[in-house]
Amino acid sequence: MKSFVYSAAASRVVFGAGSLSQLGAEITLLGARRALVLSTPEQAEMAQRVADMLGDKAAGIFPRAVMHVPIETAREAREEAKRLDADCAVAIGGGSTTGLGKAIALDSGLPILAIPTTYAGSEMTSIYGLTEGGFKKTGRDDRVRPRTVIYDPELTLSLPLGMSVTSGLNAIAHAAEGLYAHDGNPITALMAEEGIGALAQALPRLQADPQDITARSDALYGAWLCGAVLGHVSMGLHHKLCHTLGGSFNLPHAETHTIVLPHALAYNAKAAPEAMRRIGRALGVETDAPLALQQLSHRLGAPASLAALGMPADGLDRVADLAVATPYPNPRPLERAALRSLLQRAFDGAPPKFL
Ligand code: NAD
């Protein structure tokens, strides 16, 4: 056993079909009285239903969360929380809504209760992002980590199959990189392997029947574990590439993760053999975990190339430049030429290859 540091991040998790009904009691347990319910415009109806269910424990709803948390939206939401005398916020939705909750918590200290309806994992982390003047600033701050998380698989039944698949593979990316993180530890490794395995088994069952509540529960369980890994350890090359592609070319978040992950893993494979062994074990294969992951994503019907996402071919050089300019910690040093080839293969939808 190698030396390690494990610093547990505290959050309360309430898991299970129908657990949304415990929201009122959970708000009280936080010592709060009035919640501002946050959502995207697309999930406004769900936010209203939650507010109706809460009765006088709801201060109101703010259904204006959007991707990448523009600072203007965050300011409006903070003002609304003040105006309505809210003493906590309930973020119901995917990473964009949780992100808005975090932006409120960052300077108001308002406790956040998250109810995730995708597999993105933001609810388990202290990572926040805010976009100001076209530039996304990210950071870690313990104040933004949701204090309580309610995982109710029933709320994920409405997540379209395509989004369920890419969101699930986005979650797997957190766990896969967590397995070779420089600050990883035995607990996060257990969570990562279990999380990958739960999602890899649940997603094909969802493909067969998106309304299968047992498969939905297993997928959300996997997403929780993968999110917890992201919350505890540092991410490497894969997340760097995806943040660069998303930030500079506005590519969709979960789809970009889905396409890049097998290639990033292949790049790191020889430098992180134990991680590859564990990813492979979670996927049920003995060799070539990166290829097995790509084959899984193809079987699930996920987009197969960056070209299909609208990435311009002449932008690949810039992504390679940006990735090596400010690298994230990674088991293998970043070599520009190899990264440029990796990006080309992801662009073309080629199989992952050690470069
Ligand atoms: P999202 O939150 O942007 O949601 C996409 C769309 O799906 C929205 O319209 C949303 O309303 C809808 N939706 C969500 N759940 C639904 C459901 N159950 N039924 C029907 N529609 C539903 O997407 P996401 O992938 O969850 O989050 C992506 C964002 O989260 C990115 O900005 C990413 O950077 C961020 N993120 C942050 C962290 C972190 O730790 N800070 C971690 C992961 C992702």
Side-chain angles (χ1 to χ4, degrees), residues 166 245 249-252 255-256 258-260 263 297-298 301-313 316 343-350:
T166 53
L245 287 160
F249 296 94
N250 208 22
L251 297 193
E255 289 88 336
T256 306
T258 298
I259 292 160
V260 172
H263 300 282
S297 106
H298 288 176
S305 69
L306 292 178
L309 297 187
M311 174 72 196
L316 297 176
L343 287 163
Q344 189 65 48
R345 296 185 74 81
F347 181 84
D348 295 335

Side-chain angles (χ1 to χ4, degrees), residues 40 42-43 46 67-68 93-97 102 117-118 120-122 125 127-129 136 155-160 163 167 170 174 230 253-254:
T40 59
E42 295 79 22
Q43 288 178 291
M46 193 185 272
M67 194 84 146
H68 302 315
S96 298
T97 305
K102 289 174 163 183
T117 62
T118 71
S122 174
T125 82
I127 306 166
Y128 64 88
K136 188 163 178 180
L155 303 175
T156 61
L157 289 171
S158 56
L159 190 65
M163 280 177 68
S167 191
N170 178 197
H174 309 326
L230 176 67
H253 179 83

Side-chain angles (χ1 to χ4, degrees), residues 195-281:
I196 296 171
L199 276 159
Q201 288 182 18
L203 293 177
R205 283 152 59 212
L206 285 183
Q207 187 182 29
D209 177 10
Q211 298 303 306
D212 177 346
I213 191 67
T214 311
R216 286 284 180 193
S217 295
D218 292 351
L220 198 56
Y221 163 69
W224 164 49
L225 293 173
C226 294
V229 174
L230 176 67
H232 278 94
V233 302
S234 305
M235 296 291 111
L237 168 67
H238 167 75
H239 279 73
K240 176 69 196 180
L241 290 175
C242 291
H243 291 165
T244 308
L245 287 160
S248 305
F249 296 94
N250 208 22
L251 297 193
H253 179 83
E255 289 88 336
T256 306
H257 274 270
T258 298
I259 292 160
V260 172
L261 184 63
H263 300 282
L265 293 182
Y267 181 93
N268 282 331
K270 288 198 180 150
E274 175 62 9
M276 295 306 131
R277 199 180 60 77
R278 294 188 81 149
I279 297 166
R281 195 161 66 187

Side-chain angles (χ1 to χ4, degrees), residues 19-332:
S19 53
L20 177 65
S21 63
Q22 293 172 50
L23 177 58
E26 290 299 326
I27 290 173
T28 305
L29 207 61
L30 275 179
R33 291 170 302 103
R34 281 165 65 77
L36 178 64
V37 182
L38 314 172
S39 75
T40 59
E42 295 79 22
Q43 288 178 291
E45 219 174 278
M46 193 185 272
Q48 190 57 56
R49 254 192 294 133
V50 167
D52 293 346
M53 183 190 89
L54 287 177
D56 59 9
K57 277 192 189 139
I61 70 169
F62 185 88
R64 300 211 282 279
V66 286
M67 194 84 146
H68 302 315
V69 197
I71 186 94
E72 299 78 16
T73 312
R75 286 192 185 124
E76 267 178 58
R78 285 172 197 155
E79 282 311 309
E80 191 68 350
K82 237 187 256 168
R83 189 181 71 78
L84 294 169
D85 193 25
D87 58 2
C88 73
V90 168
I92 182 157
S96 298
T97 305
T98 309
L100 177 61
K102 289 174 163 183
I104 297 176
L106 186 62
D107 74 350
S108 69
L110 222 60
I112 306 300
L113 199 154
I115 309 176
T117 62
T118 71
Y119 307 130
S122 174
E123 69 282 353
M124 292 310 295
T125 82
S126 63
I127 306 166
Y128 64 88
L130 273 169
T131 304
E132 188 166 13
F135 179 74
K136 188 163 178 180
K137 180 182 107 179
T138 57
R140 286 196 189 239
D141 192 313
D142 277 335
R143 278 176 304 178
V144 310
R145 183 186 292 104
R147 300 262 291 274
T148 305
V149 182
I150 295 181
Y151 285 103
D152 185 343
E154 286 178 4
L155 303 175
T156 61
L157 289 171
S158 56
L159 190 65
L161 179 64
M163 280 177 68
S164 302
V165 165
T166 53
S167 191
L169 290 162
N170 178 197
I172 286 179
H174 309 326
E177 287 227 293
L179 279 167
Y180 53 59
H182 71 95
D183 49 2
N185 60 71
I187 297 282
T188 51
L190 286 172
M191 293 195 291
E193 190 176 332
E194 174 78 1
I196 296 171
L199 276 159
Q201 288 182 18
L203 293 177
R205 283 152 59 212
L206 285 183
Q207 187 182 29
D209 177 10
Q211 298 303 306
D212 177 346
I213 191 67
T214 311
R216 286 284 180 193
S217 295
D218 292 351
L220 198 56
Y221 163 69
W224 164 49
L225 293 173
C226 294
V229 174
L230 176 67
H232 278 94
V233 302
S234 305
M235 296 291 111
L237 168 67
H238 167 75
H239 279 73
K240 176 69 196 180
L241 290 175
C242 291
H243 291 165
T244 308
L245 287 160
S248 305
F249 296 94
N250 208 22
L251 297 193
H253 179 83
E255 289 88 336
T256 306
H257 274 270
T258 298
I259 292 160
V260 172
L261 184 63
H263 300 282
L265 293 182
Y267 181 93
N268 282 331
K270 288 198 180 150
E274 175 62 9
M276 295 306 131
R277 199 180 60 77
R278 294 188 81 149
I279 297 166
R281 195 161 66 187
L283 295 174
V285 297
E286 286 188 1
T287 56
D288 210 341
L291 182 65
L293 197 59
Q294 190 187 58
Q295 287 169 341
L296 174 68
S297 106
H298 288 176
R299 278 198 304 278
L300 293 168
S305 69
L306 292 178
L309 297 187
M311 174 72 196
D314 62 3
L316 297 176
D317 278 321
R318 197 162 133 229
V319 178
D321 289 341
L322 289 169
V324 289
T326 50
Y328 292 1
N330 193 60
R332 174 178 163 195

